[in-house]
Amino acid sequence: MLQGDMMDRPLLLSSLIEFAALYHGEREIVSRTAEGTIHRYNYAAAGRRVKQLANALRRLNVEEGERIGTLAWNTYRHFEIYFAVSGMGSVCHTINPRLFTDQIAYIGNHAEDRIIFVDLPFVALAEQLAPQLPLVRAFVVMTDRAHMPETSLPGALCYEDLLTAESEVLEWPTFDENTAAALCYTSGTTGDPKGVLYSHRSTMLHSFASCMGDVLGIRARDSILVVVPMFHVNAWGIPYCAAMTGAKLVFPGAALDGASVHELMESEAVTLSAGVPTVWLLLLQYLRDTGNSLPHLERVVCGGSAAPRAMIQEFEEVHDVRLLHAWGMTEMNPVGVVNTPKPVLEALEGDAKLDLMAKQGRAIFGVDLKIVDDSGQELARDGKAFGALKVRGPWVARRYFQRDDDPAFDSDGWFSTGDVCTIDPDGFIQIVDRTKDVIKSGGEWISSIELENIAVGHPAVAEACVIGVPHPKWDERPLLVVVPSKGATPSKEDVMSVFAGKVAKWWLPDDVVFTDELPHTATGKLLKTELRQRYKDYKLPSA
Ligand code: ADP
């Protein structure tokens, strides 16, 4: 092959903070801090402090490739750690502090974290974890001398003391763009959490793509409130996108309630924000209760789980804010698809428009998508056929960190997402279930999520879960497990009446059982594995 004659400059994350400091030096980064104040500075100052921190890491003998953990909310210091650690050629490992303590200890040891940066609210958690993390050389408390707590943390260092001692001068090292930059673990609903090791190249290409007009459309004029935690797949890559474009950054710290989020949106003239549906439900509730509005906000990105239709409608019709539904995964850096309008669909109105906006989003350049049936045969992109979703692309993982042969990675170069969806002729996907939750009845698939969504429409149903239980003739049939609303005692027939006219007859649950409580994971998702175990010998009346 004839090689091109262009420069081979590696795509390195240090170039992002360099660019932001040089060309958008005056642009602000605003944080609600753990110390209780609002902190303001700009990209120029951040650039200098990132270099001080990188020099401090060098002094602490941090080596290339070593994993450096964080237990922290979204603040400017966390932002500095992102760039200093990756820029030096080490790996920034953001740990989700909401996981169970044993899971965190497992993750810290599996990642072999050598230093852990700890935000003030997580010092007690780190103290509890420390004895289980023998590889950690030092804990750095992310505060200044005045707020440094009494702590039993071995080798506790003060973040601001570390920086003050260092020079603002540093020449960033140059290395291969495929070098590891950051590490995130999946939440591990089944088995141990799995690590995904991002490279400088994957994160950089993901950032270019995310900034595109038809993806998140991030520009210098945006003021972005980063609600999605920086320990949640690198805040969906937004800190990198902001540096790439010079957008203003607003970090909310630990305060994610409606009032606090709204206050920052107003005071910082926020135009774009991103987070999971729960946060937006809280914000909308607050706005309804107080009569407040959102005059600056233009778009909210919503993903992690499905955005309810009513929420999309309320943002659009009451607040004139466009909700961009998005789907992604830790294994994808994380953006997979985003719901932005196509010209042919812009004329849609009313229900048809909402139906489209409720889909998870459409294909973006860089992520190949396909759906397949049980035998691996590709299914039609007709918006009706649903199958297991597979993806591939330059920001999709090819393996899990220090863990070989996971069946999710096919020998033919695709990754099985574990999601089941339709793809329509315009490239929009709609998630209908998870592969392990979909009910396989007589060779056909039934969406458990669709049945659950209908069931919770019954006023006497507080929460519903549909699982497949073994059936001698059909292989599996749906069983509906219901937590009744407070004070309600509905009959099975009463609950079943909610499905009338809404689904095909063969989709109807074969039976209903009532329970006081459903099992959930640490991140609030239904633990269907446990329910399947509980009802594995359940005898359906049809069996
Ligand atoms: P996250 O931490 O963002 O939830 P995970 O990797 O833990 O990322 O989980 C990814 C899974 O979350 C996806 O495989 C999918 O099942 C679910 N998910 C993400 N976004 C959506 C969405 N918009 N609608 C429905 N499910 C979603």
Side-chain angles (χ1 to χ4, degrees):
M1 286 289 194
L2 179 64
Q3 294 282 299
D5 287 333
M6 312 310 283
M7 289 186 191
D8 189 14
R9 290 276 293 158
L11 301 171
L12 298 180
L13 299 183
S14 51
S15 65
L16 290 175
I17 189 69
E18 283 292 298
F19 172 84
L22 182 60
Y23 294 106
H24 300 278
E26 77 302 338
R27 197 70 166 138
E28 269 188 312
I29 300 174
V30 180
S31 311
R32 196 189 288 282
T33 67
E35 294 92 345
T37 52
I38 296 288
H39 175 275
R40 293 173 185 277
Y41 70 161
N42 58 30
Y43 280 114
R48 290 192 293 272
R49 281 171 52 91
V50 168
K51 288 186 173 171
Q52 287 180 299
L53 178 56
N55 282 325
L57 290 172
R58 230 174 229 172
R59 196 180 297 276
L60 291 169
N61 298 319
V62 172
E63 286 174 20
E64 286 175 3
E66 272 191 336
R67 273 76 70 196
I68 305 300
T70 65
L71 276 170
W73 288 113
N74 296 9
T75 66
Y76 67 104
R77 292 192 184 109
H78 206 173
F79 176 82
E80 291 164 0
I81 296 166
Y82 266 40
F83 285 98
V85 171
S86 303
M88 296 294 294
S90 359
V91 179
C92 180
H93 171 210
T94 48
I95 304 168
N96 182 348
R98 289 180 180 148
L99 296 179
F100 300 114
T101 321
D102 285 351
Q103 279 181 319
I104 302 181
Y106 169 86
I107 289 172
N109 285 319
H110 186 268
E112 299 172 43
D113 290 332
R114 300 297 167 159
I115 291 179
I116 297 186
F117 284 86
V118 186
D119 220 351
L120 278 178
F122 299 122
V123 169
L125 173 65
E127 285 171 345
Q128 202 185 330
L129 284 162
Q132 294 181 66
L133 296 170
L135 297 174
V136 175
R137 290 198 299 266
F139 289 89
V140 182
V141 183
M142 296 162 65
T143 190
D144 54 20
R145 183 50 48 194
H147 294 88
M148 195 63 189
E150 283 274 333
T151 172
S152 65
L153 281 175
L157 300 167
C158 168
Y159 187 94
E160 292 300 329
D161 284 358
L162 279 185
L163 262 67
T164 312
E166 299 298 336
S167 153
E168 295 173 351
V169 181
L170 171 87
E171 197 67 46
W172 289 112
T174 303
F175 40 79
D176 181 356
E177 64 186 21
N178 287 300
T179 302
L183 175 65
C184 291
Y185 280 75
T186 61
S187 35
T189 32
T190 48
D192 291 326
K194 298 170 200 153
V196 181
L197 189 63
Y198 310 120
S199 65
H200 284 258
R201 173 186 156 85
S202 71
T203 297
M204 195 71 106
L205 294 176
H206 177 269
S207 307
F208 274 121
S210 298
C211 289
M212 286 197 292
D214 274 350
V215 183
L216 304 185
I218 294 176
R219 294 159 296 175
R221 63 170 288 276
D222 276 314
S223 167
I224 311 176
L225 178 66
V226 191
V227 172
V228 50
M230 290 172 79
F231 56 74
H232 199 166
V233 211
N234 294 139
W236 301 347
I238 291 172
Y240 306 110
C241 296
M244 182 174 263
T245 54
K248 173 173 168 176
L249 273 171
V250 186
F251 290 124
L256 303 180
D257 59 285
S260 306
V261 165
H262 179 257
E263 186 185 70
L264 281 179
M265 284 183 162
E266 283 314 280
S267 62
E268 307 309 324
V270 168
T271 57
L272 171 66
S273 189
V276 295
T278 321
V279 188
W280 305 130
L281 290 175
L282 290 175
L283 176 66
L284 289 172
Q285 180 68 45
Y286 170 80
L287 296 174
R288 254 177 268 132
D289 292 349
T290 58
N292 274 308
S293 61
L294 298 166
H296 305 287
L297 193 66
E298 295 164 9
R299 4 202 246 297
V300 291
V301 184
C302 182
S305 55
R309 217 180 128 96
M311 184 163 100
I312 301 174
Q313 186 172 20
E314 189 168 346
F315 269 119
E316 184 89 359
E317 293 174 5
V318 180
H319 300 288
D320 195 22
V321 168
R322 173 54 64 103
L323 182 143
L324 303 177
H325 201 180
W327 166 88
M329 311 180 71
T330 308
E331 290 86 340
M332 301 180 72
N333 234 60
V335 176
V337 304
V338 178
N339 195 322
T340 54
K342 265 180 147 180
V344 285
L345 301 166
E346 261 170 354
L348 289 180
E349 281 185 51
D351 276 351
K353 179 177 169 183
L354 279 174
D355 285 345
L356 179 70
M357 290 175 74
K359 292 190 174 192
Q360 272 70 14
R362 67 178 158 101
I364 59 182
F365 179 78
V367 180
D368 296 341
L369 310 163
K370 69 173 179 184
I371 45 173
V372 300
D373 65 13
D374 263 341
S375 63
Q377 202 61 37
E378 189 168 348
L379 297 170
R381 293 160 193 262
D382 59 7
K384 293 187 191 77
F386 58 86
L389 175 62
K390 296 194 175 205
V391 296
R392 68 174 179 198
W395 56 88
V396 179
R398 63 184 158 85
R399 51 169 292 200
Y400 287 117
F401 181 55
Q402 295 186 349
R403 192 177 164 128
D404 280 324
D405 298 335
D406 192 287
F409 300 97
D410 293 357
S411 52
D412 63 352
W414 290 80
F415 169 69
S416 297
T417 61
D419 287 316
V420 176
C421 73
T422 58
I423 306 180
D424 73 18
D426 288 302
F428 285 79
I429 74 164
Q430 183 149 35
I431 305 281
V432 299
D433 216 333
R434 303 277 300 159
T435 37
K436 57 186 192 308
D437 298 335
V438 76
I439 293 134
K440 295 180 176 164
S441 171
E444 301 286 342
W445 290 8
I446 299 172
S447 159
S448 64
I449 293 181
E450 199 165 328
L451 294 176
E452 288 159 7
N453 286 344
I454 298 171
V456 293
H458 193 295
V461 175
E463 205 179 353
C465 181
V466 176
I467 52 168
V469 293
H471 189 282
K473 179 164 175 206
W474 301 109
D475 198 18
E476 268 184 0
R477 287 296 300 161
L479 171 70
L480 171 61
V481 187
V482 163
V483 179
S485 306
K486 220 168 170 206
T489 48
S491 67
K492 291 183 181 183
E493 294 69 31
D494 185 13
V495 170
M496 286 300 291
S497 68
V498 76
F499 294 105
K502 297 209 175 90
V503 293
K505 225 167 151 224
W506 64 274
W507 273 46
L508 288 175
D510 278 21
D511 205 0
V512 185
V513 291
F514 296 96
T515 181
D516 292 339
E517 213 183 334
L518 290 171
H520 293 95
T521 65
T523 48
K525 294 184 184 179
L526 269 175
L527 247 188
K528 293 197 179 182
T529 38
E530 197 175 312
L531 271 186
R532 273 195 291 269
Q533 189 60 25
R534 194 189 296 175
Y535 293 106
K536 72 179 192 319
D537 298 323
Y538 189 81
K539 194 139 175 40
L540 291 167
S542 57

